[in-house]
PDB file of all heavy atoms in Angstrom:
ATOM      1  N   LEU B  60     -41.324  13.368  -5.491  1.00 95.00           N
ATOM      2  CA  LEU B  60     -40.353  13.672  -4.435  1.00 95.00           C
ATOM      3  C   LEU B  60     -40.800  15.003  -3.861  1.00 95.00           C
ATOM      4  O   LEU B  60     -40.694  16.021  -4.530  1.00 95.00           O
ATOM      5  CB  LEU B  60     -38.955  13.841  -5.003  1.00 95.00           C
ATOM      6  CG  LEU B  60     -38.271  12.669  -5.680  1.00 95.00           C
ATOM      7  CD1 LEU B  60     -36.811  12.976  -5.921  1.00 95.00           C
ATOM      8  CD2 LEU B  60     -38.407  11.422  -4.835  1.00 95.00           C
ATOM      9  N   GLY B  61     -41.314  15.004  -2.655  1.00 91.00           N
ATOM     10  CA  GLY B  61     -41.929  16.231  -2.153  1.00 91.00           C
ATOM     11  C   GLY B  61     -43.089  16.573  -3.060  1.00 91.00           C
ATOM     12  O   GLY B  61     -44.005  15.780  -3.245  1.00 91.00           O
ATOM     13  N   GLU B  62     -43.001  17.755  -3.688  1.00 90.00           N
ATOM     14  CA  GLU B  62     -44.075  18.201  -4.578  1.00 90.00           C
ATOM     15  C   GLU B  62     -43.762  17.873  -6.029  1.00 90.00           C
ATOM     16  O   GLU B  62     -44.572  18.105  -6.908  1.00 90.00           O
ATOM     17  CB  GLU B  62     -44.242  19.731  -4.450  1.00 90.00           C
ATOM     18  CG  GLU B  62     -44.523  20.205  -3.052  1.00 90.00           C
ATOM     19  CD  GLU B  62     -45.976  19.937  -2.667  1.00 90.00           C
ATOM     20  OE1 GLU B  62     -46.855  20.581  -3.252  1.00 90.00           O
ATOM     21  OE2 GLU B  62     -46.209  19.066  -1.796  1.00 90.00           O
ATOM     22  N   GLN B  63     -42.512  17.401  -6.270  1.00 93.00           N
ATOM     23  CA  GLN B  63     -42.040  17.361  -7.640  1.00 93.00           C
ATOM     24  C   GLN B  63     -42.210  15.999  -8.299  1.00 93.00           C
ATOM     25  O   GLN B  63     -41.877  14.969  -7.714  1.00 93.00           O
ATOM     26  CB  GLN B  63     -40.560  17.742  -7.660  1.00 93.00           C
ATOM     27  CG  GLN B  63     -40.138  18.313  -8.977  1.00 93.00           C
ATOM     28  CD  GLN B  63     -38.897  19.156  -8.808  1.00 93.00           C
ATOM     29  OE1 GLN B  63     -38.164  19.027  -7.831  1.00 93.00           O
ATOM     30  NE2 GLN B  63     -38.646  20.029  -9.762  1.00 93.00           N
ATOM     31  N   ASP B  64     -42.723  15.999  -9.517  1.00 94.00           N
ATOM     32  CA  ASP B  64     -42.897  14.772 -10.282  1.00 94.00           C
ATOM     33  C   ASP B  64     -41.526  14.219 -10.676  1.00 94.00           C
ATOM     34  O   ASP B  64     -40.701  14.938 -11.224  1.00 94.00           O
ATOM     35  CB  ASP B  64     -43.735  15.060 -11.537  1.00 94.00           C
ATOM     36  CG  ASP B  64     -44.209  13.769 -12.190  1.00 94.00           C
ATOM     37  OD1 ASP B  64     -43.440  12.791 -12.208  1.00 94.00           O
ATOM     38  OD2 ASP B  64     -45.363  13.751 -12.649  1.00 94.00           O
ATOM     39  N   LEU B  65     -41.336  12.931 -10.376  1.00 94.00           N
ATOM     40  CA  LEU B  65     -40.057  12.265 -10.663  1.00 94.00           C
ATOM     41  C   LEU B  65     -39.656  12.400 -12.127  1.00 94.00           C
ATOM     42  O   LEU B  65     -38.485  12.531 -12.459  1.00 94.00           O
ATOM     43  CB  LEU B  65     -40.218  10.781 -10.309  1.00 94.00           C
ATOM     44  CG  LEU B  65     -38.975   9.919 -10.222  1.00 94.00           C
ATOM     45  CD1 LEU B  65     -38.150  10.314  -9.036  1.00 94.00           C
ATOM     46  CD2 LEU B  65     -39.361   8.456 -10.120  1.00 94.00           C
ATOM     47  N   ARG B  66     -40.648  12.383 -13.019  1.00 92.00           N
ATOM     48  CA  ARG B  66     -40.348  12.404 -14.454  1.00 92.00           C
ATOM     49  C   ARG B  66     -39.742  13.727 -14.908  1.00 92.00           C
ATOM     50  O   ARG B  66     -39.178  13.821 -15.981  1.00 92.00           O
ATOM     51  CB  ARG B  66     -41.624  12.127 -15.251  1.00 92.00           C
ATOM     52  CG  ARG B  66     -42.004  10.661 -15.235  1.00 92.00           C
ATOM     53  CD  ARG B  66     -43.394  10.445 -15.761  1.00 92.00           C
ATOM     54  NE  ARG B  66     -44.401  11.018 -14.862  1.00 92.00           N
ATOM     55  CZ  ARG B  66     -45.685  10.694 -14.878  1.00 92.00           C
ATOM     56  NH1 ARG B  66     -46.136   9.823 -15.745  1.00 92.00           N
ATOM     57  NH2 ARG B  66     -46.539  11.247 -14.050  1.00 92.00           N
ATOM     58  N   ARG B  67     -39.897  14.776 -14.075  1.00 93.00           N
ATOM     59  CA  ARG B  67     -39.367  16.078 -14.477  1.00 93.00           C
ATOM     60  C   ARG B  67     -37.917  16.281 -14.023  1.00 93.00           C
ATOM     61  O   ARG B  67     -37.339  17.333 -14.269  1.00 93.00           O
ATOM     62  CB  ARG B  67     -40.225  17.204 -13.887  1.00 93.00           C
ATOM     63  CG  ARG B  67     -41.609  17.208 -14.474  1.00 93.00           C
ATOM     64  CD  ARG B  67     -42.392  18.421 -14.024  1.00 93.00           C
ATOM     65  NE  ARG B  67     -43.762  18.297 -14.462  1.00 93.00           N
ATOM     66  CZ  ARG B  67     -44.155  18.552 -15.709  1.00 93.00           C
ATOM     67  NH1 ARG B  67     -43.298  18.970 -16.599  1.00 93.00           N
ATOM     68  NH2 ARG B  67     -45.419  18.387 -16.048  1.00 93.00           N
ATOM     69  N   LEU B  68     -37.361  15.277 -13.327  1.00 95.00           N
ATOM     70  CA  LEU B  68     -35.989  15.418 -12.825  1.00 95.00           C
ATOM     71  C   LEU B  68     -35.009  14.701 -13.753  1.00 95.00           C
ATOM     72  O   LEU B  68     -35.304  13.615 -14.246  1.00 95.00           O
ATOM     73  CB  LEU B  68     -35.877  14.813 -11.425  1.00 95.00           C
ATOM     74  CG  LEU B  68     -36.648  15.508 -10.313  1.00 95.00           C
ATOM     75  CD1 LEU B  68     -36.620  14.658  -9.055  1.00 95.00           C
ATOM     76  CD2 LEU B  68     -36.088  16.880 -10.031  1.00 95.00           C
ATOM     77  N   SER B  69     -33.838  15.320 -13.979  1.00 95.00           N
ATOM     78  CA  SER B  69     -32.792  14.612 -14.711  1.00 95.00           C
ATOM     79  C   SER B  69     -32.149  13.603 -13.761  1.00 95.00           C
ATOM     80  O   SER B  69     -32.345  13.672 -12.552  1.00 95.00           O
ATOM     81  CB  SER B  69     -31.740  15.603 -15.202  1.00 95.00           C
ATOM     82  OG  SER B  69     -31.000  16.094 -14.100  1.00 95.00           O
ATOM     83  N   ARG B  70     -31.375  12.656 -14.322  1.00 95.00           N
ATOM     84  CA  ARG B  70     -30.677  11.673 -13.471  1.00 95.00           C
ATOM     85  C   ARG B  70     -29.832  12.361 -12.410  1.00 95.00           C
ATOM     86  O   ARG B  70     -29.775  11.924 -11.268  1.00 95.00           O
ATOM     87  CB  ARG B  70     -29.735  10.812 -14.310  1.00 95.00           C
ATOM     88  CG  ARG B  70     -30.395   9.827 -15.175  1.00 95.00           C
ATOM     89  CD  ARG B  70     -30.148   8.386 -14.716  1.00 95.00           C
ATOM     90  NE  ARG B  70     -31.061   7.544 -15.467  1.00 95.00           N
ATOM     91  CZ  ARG B  70     -32.158   7.002 -14.954  1.00 95.00           C
ATOM     92  NH1 ARG B  70     -32.438   7.146 -13.676  1.00 95.00           N
ATOM     93  NH2 ARG B  70     -32.964   6.297 -15.709  1.00 95.00           N
ATOM     94  N   ARG B  71     -29.161  13.405 -12.835  1.00 95.00           N
ATOM     95  CA  ARG B  71     -28.259  14.123 -11.943  1.00 95.00           C
ATOM     96  C   ARG B  71     -29.019  14.798 -10.811  1.00 95.00           C
ATOM     97  O   ARG B  71     -28.654  14.676  -9.645  1.00 95.00           O
ATOM     98  CB  ARG B  71     -27.542  15.174 -12.776  1.00 95.00           C
ATOM     99  CG  ARG B  71     -26.221  15.588 -12.301  1.00 95.00           C
ATOM    100  CD  ARG B  71     -25.588  16.403 -13.424  1.00 95.00           C
ATOM    101  NE  ARG B  71     -25.325  17.751 -12.950  1.00 95.00           N
ATOM    102  CZ  ARG B  71     -24.292  18.047 -12.189  1.00 95.00           C
ATOM    103  NH1 ARG B  71     -23.457  17.081 -11.829  1.00 95.00           N
ATOM    104  NH2 ARG B  71     -24.080  19.260 -11.788  1.00 95.00           N
ATOM    105  N   GLN B  72     -30.112  15.484 -11.186  1.00 96.00           N
ATOM    106  CA  GLN B  72     -30.937  16.132 -10.159  1.00 96.00           C
ATOM    107  C   GLN B  72     -31.474  15.095  -9.185  1.00 96.00           C
ATOM    108  O   GLN B  72     -31.480  15.304  -7.975  1.00 96.00           O
ATOM    109  CB  GLN B  72     -32.105  16.875 -10.819  1.00 96.00           C
ATOM    110  CG  GLN B  72     -31.698  18.155 -11.517  1.00 96.00           C
ATOM    111  CD  GLN B  72     -32.831  18.713 -12.368  1.00 96.00           C
ATOM    112  OE1 GLN B  72     -33.631  17.968 -12.933  1.00 96.00           O
ATOM    113  NE2 GLN B  72     -32.905  20.034 -12.444  1.00 96.00           N
ATOM    114  N   LEU B  73     -31.936  13.974  -9.748  1.00 97.00           N
ATOM    115  CA  LEU B  73     -32.498  12.922  -8.904  1.00 97.00           C
ATOM    116  C   LEU B  73     -31.444  12.380  -7.940  1.00 97.00           C
ATOM    117  O   LEU B  73     -31.706  12.193  -6.756  1.00 97.00           O
ATOM    118  CB  LEU B  73     -33.056  11.798  -9.780  1.00 97.00           C
ATOM    119  CG  LEU B  73     -33.717  10.654  -9.018  1.00 97.00           C
ATOM    120  CD1 LEU B  73     -34.951  11.140  -8.286  1.00 97.00           C
ATOM    121  CD2 LEU B  73     -34.069   9.512  -9.953  1.00 97.00           C
ATOM    122  N   ALA B  74     -30.228  12.165  -8.472  1.00 97.00           N
ATOM    123  CA  ALA B  74     -29.170  11.562  -7.654  1.00 97.00           C
ATOM    124  C   ALA B  74     -28.745  12.483  -6.501  1.00 97.00           C
ATOM    125  O   ALA B  74     -28.123  12.024  -5.546  1.00 97.00           O
ATOM    126  CB  ALA B  74     -27.966  11.212  -8.520  1.00 97.00           C
ATOM    127  N   ARG B  75     -29.040  13.768  -6.611  1.00 97.00           N
ATOM    128  CA  ARG B  75     -28.724  14.668  -5.492  1.00 97.00           C
ATOM    129  C   ARG B  75     -29.780  14.583  -4.398  1.00 97.00           C
ATOM    130  O   ARG B  75     -29.589  15.085  -3.300  1.00 97.00           O
ATOM    131  CB  ARG B  75     -28.680  16.109  -5.980  1.00 97.00           C
ATOM    132  CG  ARG B  75     -27.515  16.412  -6.878  1.00 97.00           C
ATOM    133  CD  ARG B  75     -27.789  17.714  -7.571  1.00 97.00           C
ATOM    134  NE  ARG B  75     -26.642  18.116  -8.350  1.00 97.00           N
ATOM    135  CZ  ARG B  75     -26.233  19.383  -8.437  1.00 97.00           C
ATOM    136  NH1 ARG B  75     -26.874  20.333  -7.785  1.00 97.00           N
ATOM    137  NH2 ARG B  75     -25.200  19.682  -9.160  1.00 97.00           N
ATOM    138  N   ARG B  76     -30.933  13.996  -4.723  1.00 97.00           N
ATOM    139  CA  ARG B  76     -32.023  13.963  -3.742  1.00 97.00           C
ATOM    140  C   ARG B  76     -32.329  12.570  -3.252  1.00 97.00           C
ATOM    141  O   ARG B  76     -32.847  12.388  -2.149  1.00 97.00           O
ATOM    142  CB  ARG B  76     -33.273  14.583  -4.365  1.00 97.00           C
ATOM    143  CG  ARG B  76     -33.043  16.032  -4.787  1.00 97.00           C
ATOM    144  CD  ARG B  76     -34.286  16.680  -5.310  1.00 97.00           C
ATOM    145  NE  ARG B  76     -35.356  16.668  -4.325  1.00 97.00           N
ATOM    146  CZ  ARG B  76     -36.583  17.101  -4.590  1.00 97.00           C
ATOM    147  NH1 ARG B  76     -36.888  17.559  -5.782  1.00 97.00           N
ATOM    148  NH2 ARG B  76     -37.504  17.063  -3.653  1.00 97.00           N
ATOM    149  N   LEU B  77     -32.027  11.567  -4.106  1.00 97.00           N
ATOM    150  CA  LEU B  77     -32.381  10.200  -3.744  1.00 97.00           C
ATOM    151  C   LEU B  77     -31.202   9.275  -4.024  1.00 97.00           C
ATOM    152  O   LEU B  77     -30.610   9.328  -5.091  1.00 97.00           O
ATOM    153  CB  LEU B  77     -33.601   9.783  -4.588  1.00 97.00           C
ATOM    154  CG  LEU B  77     -34.148   8.380  -4.441  1.00 97.00           C
ATOM    155  CD1 LEU B  77     -35.667   8.434  -4.535  1.00 97.00           C
ATOM    156  CD2 LEU B  77     -33.622   7.456  -5.518  1.00 97.00           C
ATOM    157  N   ALA B  78     -30.842   8.461  -3.030  1.00 97.00           N
ATOM    158  CA  ALA B  78     -29.722   7.537  -3.200  1.00 97.00           C
ATOM    159  C   ALA B  78     -30.213   6.117  -2.966  1.00 97.00           C
ATOM    160  O   ALA B  78     -31.107   5.893  -2.149  1.00 97.00           O
ATOM    161  CB  ALA B  78     -28.605   7.879  -2.220  1.00 97.00           C
ATOM    162  N   THR B  79     -29.644   5.158  -3.713  1.00 96.00           N
ATOM    163  CA  THR B  79     -30.096   3.778  -3.568  1.00 96.00           C
ATOM    164  C   THR B  79     -28.951   2.825  -3.289  1.00 96.00           C
ATOM    165  O   THR B  79     -27.867   2.957  -3.839  1.00 96.00           O
ATOM    166  CB  THR B  79     -30.803   3.270  -4.851  1.00 96.00           C
ATOM    167  OG1 THR B  79     -30.035   3.699  -5.971  1.00 96.00           O
ATOM    168  CG2 THR B  79     -32.191   3.820  -4.963  1.00 96.00           C
ATOM    169  N   VAL B  80     -29.240   1.848  -2.425  1.00 94.00           N
ATOM    170  CA  VAL B  80     -28.333   0.715  -2.235  1.00 94.00           C
ATOM    171  C   VAL B  80     -28.977  -0.461  -2.952  1.00 94.00           C
ATOM    172  O   VAL B  80     -30.079  -0.861  -2.621  1.00 94.00           O
ATOM    173  CB  VAL B  80     -28.147   0.378  -0.743  1.00 94.00           C
ATOM    174  CG1 VAL B  80     -27.297  -0.876  -0.589  1.00 94.00           C
ATOM    175  CG2 VAL B  80     -27.505   1.532  -0.009  1.00 94.00           C
ATOM    176  N   PRO B  81     -28.307  -0.993  -3.988  1.00 88.00           N
ATOM    177  CA  PRO B  81     -28.924  -2.060  -4.768  1.00 88.00           C
ATOM    178  C   PRO B  81     -28.951  -3.365  -4.009  1.00 88.00           C
ATOM    179  O   PRO B  81     -28.189  -3.566  -3.059  1.00 88.00           O
ATOM    180  CB  PRO B  81     -28.017  -2.166  -5.987  1.00 88.00           C
ATOM    181  CG  PRO B  81     -26.691  -1.721  -5.487  1.00 88.00           C
ATOM    182  CD  PRO B  81     -26.943  -0.690  -4.437  1.00 88.00           C
TER     183      PRO B  81
END
Side-chain angles (χ1 to χ4, degrees):
Chain B
L60 297 191
E62 303 283 292
Q63 205 158 20
D64 193 322
L65 193 69
R66 283 168 293 198
R67 294 187 188 281
L68 294 171
S69 70
R70 287 249 168 255
R71 207 168 119 79
Q72 286 169 327
L73 182 65
R75 291 165 175 219
R76 300 184 59 185
L77 178 143
T79 43
V80 175

